[in-house]
Amino acid sequence: SAVISQKPSRDICQRGTSLTIQCQVDSQVTMMFWYRQQPGQSLTLIATANQGSEATYESGFVIDKFPISRPNLTFSTLTVSNMSPEDSSIYLCSVDRGLHTDTQYFGPGTRLTVL
Amino acid sequence: SQQGEEDPQALSIQEGENATMNCSYKTSINNLQWYRQNSGRGLVHLILIRSNEREKHSGRLRVTLDTSKKSSSLLITASRAADTASYFCATDDGPVIQGAQKLVFGQGTRLTINP
């Protein structure tokens, strides 16, 4: 398994501001994933983040709105930029240990409320 | 990309009863996984079943897979109050990239176990 922490665990932000969410893993992993979970909904993949290269974004998500950094093999950040109330969600990071088990291990999530 | 559909969306049963949740998907898969999420927190991996398997057990969990019907079911036997959570199925989405596999999650079933 993998132990993953996220900071902050929750935040309340004002419209138009930005929030950076941190994800720390206890072991080196190649690929990290960022998801959004809107209230009462399922998880939607925002992007995959590979160390040393730009993140790959899913349809409907753009780098200007959700810039991602991946400076090393145990850490990543997701920024939610120019926030609006529609960005109120839980943001989760996850990792695949790359052991070809296809299992992902999730952080505890960051609950974001935008006023 | 495909997305699993789960039913029921919500299920409420008495402690000790069995709970069955279903998941359907649209295209061919290599495997299907089930995850649990407690109170909007991170997801926890429960069980993975491969496309060449029909049934798998883990403790009080039983998963079936019918690839001809593109469906899976998760059975929790002898339910406990601690089983109260949301349950999501997830299928592989696209090729493995650098050892990591993207997943697509179903809409989830909210399970409530009444004491």
Side-chain angles (χ1 to χ4, degrees):
Chain A
S1 65
V3 177
I4 304 169
S5 59
Q6 283 186 237
K7 291 181 181 180
S9 59
R10 59 177 61 225
D11 207 342
I12 300 173
C13 301
Q14 296 298 318
R15 180 194 299 261
T17 63
S18 297
L19 176 72
T20 295
I21 302 167
Q22 300 179 9
C23 180
Q24 179 76 51
V25 189
D26 68 338
S27 58
Q28 294 183 344
V29 293
T30 302
M31 202 70 77
M32 297 178 76
F33 303 90
W34 285 100
Y35 291 88
R36 180 178 72 183
Q37 185 178 27
Q38 294 175 304
Q41 301 298 311
S42 184
L43 281 72
T44 300
L45 182 64
I46 297 172
T48 56
N50 188 9
Q51 192 269 335
S53 61
E54 284 196 3
T56 301
Y57 289 83
E58 297 297 300
S59 176
F61 297 96
V62 295
I63 188 171
D64 290 345
K65 176 67 177 177
F66 297 101
I68 290 171
S69 77
R70 184 79 202 276
N72 57 53
L73 291 173
T74 63
F75 187 78
S76 179
T77 67
L78 169 76
T79 299
V80 186
S81 302
N82 188 24
M83 289 183 286
S84 67
E86 291 71 34
D87 294 319
S88 297
S89 297
I90 298 172
Y91 292 86
L92 300 118
C93 66
S94 74
V95 304
D96 181 326
R97 291 291 305 278
L99 301 176
H100 301 286
T101 62
D102 297 345
T103 298
Q104 288 188 15
Y105 300 93
F106 284 81
T110 296
R111 185 181 293 272
L112 170 63
T113 302
V114 183
L115 303 177
Chain B
S1 62
Q2 63 184 340
Q3 185 173 31
E5 296 182 1
E6 296 183 58
D7 77 274
Q9 291 187 347
L11 178 62
S12 181
I13 61 174
Q14 294 301 120
E15 194 167 20
E17 295 180 341
N18 296 341
T20 299
M21 290 157 273
N22 303 295
C23 168
S24 61
Y25 55 92
K26 297 176 182 176
T27 62
S28 297
I29 59 171
N30 293 312
N31 60 64
L32 185 144
Q33 307 180 52
W34 287 89
Y35 288 81
R36 183 184 73 206
Q37 183 181 38
N38 289 7
S39 301
R41 302 295 289 171
L43 276 70
V44 174
H45 178 259
L46 295 176
I47 195 167
L48 179 150
I49 186 165
R50 301 202 179 277
S51 60
N52 61 353
E53 298 175 310
R54 292 297 169 259
E55 186 171 312
K56 202 163 184 178
H57 297 253
S58 177
R60 292 183 297 112
L61 305 180
R62 172 177 169 254
V63 170
T64 63
L65 179 64
D66 187 335
T67 53
S68 67
K69 295 181 179 178
K70 292 186 171 58
S71 68
S72 174
S73 68
L74 171 66
L75 168 67
I76 303 175
T77 61
S79 63
R80 306 167 182 169
D83 295 328
T84 295
S86 292
Y87 292 81
F88 295 91
C89 66
T91 54
D92 50 287
D93 179 25
V96 172
I97 301 175
Q98 298 195 30
Q101 176 68 65
K102 287 198 305 183
L103 300 178
V104 175
F105 286 83
Q107 291 302 306
T109 295
R110 294 187 306 279
L111 175 64
T112 301
I113 308 299
N114 302 304

